[in-house]
Amino acid sequence: MSHTIENKKPLLNRVRRMRGQLGSLEKALETGTECGAVLQQIAAIRGAVNGLMNEVLEGHLRTHLVPMEGAAADEIEDLIKVIRSYLK
């Protein structure tokens, strides 16, 4: 079974929050909201997308690659840390 199916509820909650953020951004652009506020909304959306990417990618790595043992498993854990740091 896919890890995205097993972990579906929190992933869908993230997507729904992003949908709300995108709706707010659309409304801000339609109403001529000050550019600083628009930029802040865009940054929040980017952070939300990065968070979702991190969660799905980490689940993928742990489900499909971490069952390895020894040095390979340690390297995967190191990769997960790097990716998590990069996507912040």
PDB file of all heavy atoms in Angstrom, residues 70-86:
ATOM      1  N   GLY A  70      22.365  -0.980   7.378  1.00  0.00           N
ATOM      2  CA  GLY A  70      23.763  -0.566   7.405  1.00  0.00           C
ATOM      3  C   GLY A  70      23.989   0.821   6.866  1.00  0.00           C
ATOM      4  O   GLY A  70      23.209   1.746   7.086  1.00  0.00           O
ATOM      5  N   ALA A  71      25.092   0.977   6.142  1.00  0.00           N
ATOM      6  CA  ALA A  71      25.529   2.276   5.637  1.00  0.00           C
ATOM      7  C   ALA A  71      24.497   2.894   4.708  1.00  0.00           C
ATOM      8  O   ALA A  71      24.289   4.105   4.725  1.00  0.00           O
ATOM      9  CB  ALA A  71      26.867   2.146   4.922  1.00  0.00           C
ATOM     10  N   ALA A  72      23.827   2.080   3.899  1.00  0.00           N
ATOM     11  CA  ALA A  72      22.822   2.621   2.971  1.00  0.00           C
ATOM     12  C   ALA A  72      21.685   3.285   3.729  1.00  0.00           C
ATOM     13  O   ALA A  72      21.221   4.362   3.360  1.00  0.00           O
ATOM     14  CB  ALA A  72      22.288   1.518   2.064  1.00  0.00           C
ATOM     15  N   ALA A  73      21.238   2.681   4.822  1.00  0.00           N
ATOM     16  CA  ALA A  73      20.162   3.267   5.630  1.00  0.00           C
ATOM     17  C   ALA A  73      20.627   4.576   6.270  1.00  0.00           C
ATOM     18  O   ALA A  73      19.866   5.543   6.336  1.00  0.00           O
ATOM     19  CB  ALA A  73      19.702   2.283   6.690  1.00  0.00           C
ATOM     20  N   ASP A  74      21.865   4.598   6.726  1.00  0.00           N
ATOM     21  CA  ASP A  74      22.410   5.825   7.320  1.00  0.00           C
ATOM     22  C   ASP A  74      22.478   6.943   6.279  1.00  0.00           C
ATOM     23  O   ASP A  74      22.199   8.103   6.586  1.00  0.00           O
ATOM     24  CB  ASP A  74      23.806   5.576   7.896  1.00  0.00           C
ATOM     25  CG  ASP A  74      23.782   4.664   9.114  1.00  0.00           C
ATOM     26  OD1 ASP A  74      22.701   4.520   9.728  1.00  0.00           O
ATOM     27  OD2 ASP A  74      24.843   4.106   9.440  1.00  0.00           O
ATOM     28  N   GLU A  75      22.841   6.599   5.069  1.00  0.00           N
ATOM     29  CA  GLU A  75      22.915   7.594   3.999  1.00  0.00           C
ATOM     30  C   GLU A  75      21.528   8.139   3.668  1.00  0.00           C
ATOM     31  O   GLU A  75      21.374   9.334   3.400  1.00  0.00           O
ATOM     32  CB  GLU A  75      23.577   7.001   2.762  1.00  0.00           C
ATOM     33  CG  GLU A  75      25.064   6.776   2.940  1.00  0.00           C
ATOM     34  CD  GLU A  75      25.717   6.135   1.721  1.00  0.00           C
ATOM     35  OE1 GLU A  75      25.168   6.242   0.621  1.00  0.00           O
ATOM     36  OE2 GLU A  75      26.792   5.541   1.909  1.00  0.00           O
ATOM     37  N   ILE A  76      20.520   7.286   3.685  1.00  0.00           N
ATOM     38  CA  ILE A  76      19.144   7.737   3.437  1.00  0.00           C
ATOM     39  C   ILE A  76      18.716   8.700   4.542  1.00  0.00           C
ATOM     40  O   ILE A  76      18.101   9.733   4.273  1.00  0.00           O
ATOM     41  CB  ILE A  76      18.166   6.548   3.332  1.00  0.00           C
ATOM     42  CG1 ILE A  76      18.498   5.684   2.114  1.00  0.00           C
ATOM     43  CG2 ILE A  76      16.726   7.033   3.291  1.00  0.00           C
ATOM     44  CD1 ILE A  76      18.390   6.389   0.787  1.00  0.00           C
ATOM     45  N   GLU A  77      19.025   8.372   5.796  1.00  0.00           N
ATOM     46  CA  GLU A  77      18.682   9.276   6.904  1.00  0.00           C
ATOM     47  C   GLU A  77      19.377  10.619   6.744  1.00  0.00           C
ATOM     48  O   GLU A  77      18.772  11.668   6.975  1.00  0.00           O
ATOM     49  CB  GLU A  77      19.032   8.639   8.246  1.00  0.00           C
ATOM     50  CG  GLU A  77      18.128   7.489   8.641  1.00  0.00           C
ATOM     51  CD  GLU A  77      16.668   7.883   8.768  1.00  0.00           C
ATOM     52  OE1 GLU A  77      16.362   9.000   9.243  1.00  0.00           O
ATOM     53  OE2 GLU A  77      15.813   7.067   8.365  1.00  0.00           O
ATOM     54  N   ASP A  78      20.626  10.610   6.314  1.00  0.00           N
ATOM     55  CA  ASP A  78      21.348  11.859   6.056  1.00  0.00           C
ATOM     56  C   ASP A  78      20.695  12.644   4.934  1.00  0.00           C
ATOM     57  O   ASP A  78      20.554  13.867   5.014  1.00  0.00           O
ATOM     58  CB  ASP A  78      22.814  11.582   5.711  1.00  0.00           C
ATOM     59  CG  ASP A  78      23.621  11.097   6.903  1.00  0.00           C
ATOM     60  OD1 ASP A  78      23.155  11.283   8.053  1.00  0.00           O
ATOM     61  OD2 ASP A  78      24.710  10.532   6.678  1.00  0.00           O
ATOM     62  N   LEU A  79      20.280  11.953   3.890  1.00  0.00           N
ATOM     63  CA  LEU A  79      19.597  12.599   2.773  1.00  0.00           C
ATOM     64  C   LEU A  79      18.286  13.228   3.231  1.00  0.00           C
ATOM     65  O   LEU A  79      17.965  14.362   2.854  1.00  0.00           O
ATOM     66  CB  LEU A  79      19.338  11.586   1.652  1.00  0.00           C
ATOM     67  CG  LEU A  79      18.553  12.090   0.447  1.00  0.00           C
ATOM     68  CD1 LEU A  79      19.290  13.242  -0.247  1.00  0.00           C
ATOM     69  CD2 LEU A  79      18.291  10.946  -0.526  1.00  0.00           C
ATOM     70  N   ILE A  80      17.528  12.534   4.054  1.00  0.00           N
ATOM     71  CA  ILE A  80      16.270  13.076   4.580  1.00  0.00           C
ATOM     72  C   ILE A  80      16.539  14.363   5.358  1.00  0.00           C
ATOM     73  O   ILE A  80      15.817  15.356   5.210  1.00  0.00           O
ATOM     74  CB  ILE A  80      15.540  12.027   5.444  1.00  0.00           C
ATOM     75  CG1 ILE A  80      14.974  10.926   4.535  1.00  0.00           C
ATOM     76  CG2 ILE A  80      14.433  12.670   6.276  1.00  0.00           C
ATOM     77  CD1 ILE A  80      14.448   9.717   5.283  1.00  0.00           C
ATOM     78  N   LYS A  81      17.587  14.393   6.170  1.00  0.00           N
ATOM     79  CA  LYS A  81      17.927  15.597   6.934  1.00  0.00           C
ATOM     80  C   LYS A  81      18.272  16.761   6.006  1.00  0.00           C
ATOM     81  O   LYS A  81      17.841  17.901   6.224  1.00  0.00           O
ATOM     82  CB  LYS A  81      19.083  15.318   7.873  1.00  0.00           C
ATOM     83  CG  LYS A  81      18.713  14.438   9.039  1.00  0.00           C
ATOM     84  CD  LYS A  81      19.932  14.130   9.894  1.00  0.00           C
ATOM     85  CE  LYS A  81      19.595  13.115  10.961  1.00  0.00           C
ATOM     86  NZ  LYS A  81      20.763  12.677  11.712  1.00  0.00           N
ATOM     87  N   VAL A  82      19.037  16.479   4.972  1.00  0.00           N
ATOM     88  CA  VAL A  82      19.419  17.528   4.011  1.00  0.00           C
ATOM     89  C   VAL A  82      18.183  18.065   3.297  1.00  0.00           C
ATOM     90  O   VAL A  82      17.998  19.282   3.164  1.00  0.00           O
ATOM     91  CB  VAL A  82      20.460  17.002   3.005  1.00  0.00           C
ATOM     92  CG1 VAL A  82      20.642  17.972   1.854  1.00  0.00           C
ATOM     93  CG2 VAL A  82      21.775  16.724   3.696  1.00  0.00           C
ATOM     94  N   ILE A  83      17.325  17.184   2.850  1.00  0.00           N
ATOM     95  CA  ILE A  83      16.111  17.601   2.137  1.00  0.00           C
ATOM     96  C   ILE A  83      15.216  18.414   3.056  1.00  0.00           C
ATOM     97  O   ILE A  83      14.694  19.456   2.668  1.00  0.00           O
ATOM     98  CB  ILE A  83      15.371  16.381   1.562  1.00  0.00           C
ATOM     99  CG1 ILE A  83      16.178  15.756   0.424  1.00  0.00           C
ATOM    100  CG2 ILE A  83      13.961  16.762   1.093  1.00  0.00           C
ATOM    101  CD1 ILE A  83      15.671  14.414  -0.029  1.00  0.00           C
ATOM    102  N   ARG A  84      15.055  17.963   4.279  1.00  0.00           N
ATOM    103  CA  ARG A  84      14.218  18.685   5.250  1.00  0.00           C
ATOM    104  C   ARG A  84      14.769  20.099   5.464  1.00  0.00           C
ATOM    105  O   ARG A  84      14.024  21.078   5.480  1.00  0.00           O
ATOM    106  CB  ARG A  84      14.174  17.909   6.562  1.00  0.00           C
ATOM    107  CG  ARG A  84      13.150  18.454   7.540  1.00  0.00           C
ATOM    108  CD  ARG A  84      13.114  17.659   8.834  1.00  0.00           C
ATOM    109  NE  ARG A  84      12.754  16.273   8.590  1.00  0.00           N
ATOM    110  CZ  ARG A  84      13.325  15.244   9.223  1.00  0.00           C
ATOM    111  NH1 ARG A  84      14.268  15.440  10.113  1.00  0.00           N
ATOM    112  NH2 ARG A  84      12.946  14.013   8.964  1.00  0.00           N
ATOM    113  N   SER A  85      16.077  20.212   5.593  1.00  0.00           N
ATOM    114  CA  SER A  85      16.711  21.512   5.782  1.00  0.00           C
ATOM    115  C   SER A  85      16.533  22.394   4.538  1.00  0.00           C
ATOM    116  O   SER A  85      16.221  23.582   4.661  1.00  0.00           O
ATOM    117  CB  SER A  85      18.195  21.309   6.072  1.00  0.00           C
ATOM    118  OG  SER A  85      18.849  22.541   6.127  1.00  0.00           O
ATOM    119  N   TYR A  86      16.705  21.808   3.375  1.00  0.00           N
ATOM    120  CA  TYR A  86      16.594  22.567   2.120  1.00  0.00           C
ATOM    121  C   TYR A  86      15.184  23.092   1.896  1.00  0.00           C
ATOM    122  O   TYR A  86      15.001  24.217   1.428  1.00  0.00           O
ATOM    123  CB  TYR A  86      16.998  21.668   0.951  1.00  0.00           C
ATOM    124  CG  TYR A  86      16.843  22.345  -0.398  1.00  0.00           C
ATOM    125  CD1 TYR A  86      17.762  23.296  -0.815  1.00  0.00           C
ATOM    126  CD2 TYR A  86      15.769  22.039  -1.223  1.00  0.00           C
ATOM    127  CE1 TYR A  86      17.620  23.922  -2.053  1.00  0.00           C
ATOM    128  CE2 TYR A  86      15.617  22.669  -2.455  1.00  0.00           C
ATOM    129  CZ  TYR A  86      16.539  23.600  -2.853  1.00  0.00           C
ATOM    130  OH  TYR A  86      16.394  24.222  -4.055  1.00  0.00           O
TER     131      TYR A  86
END
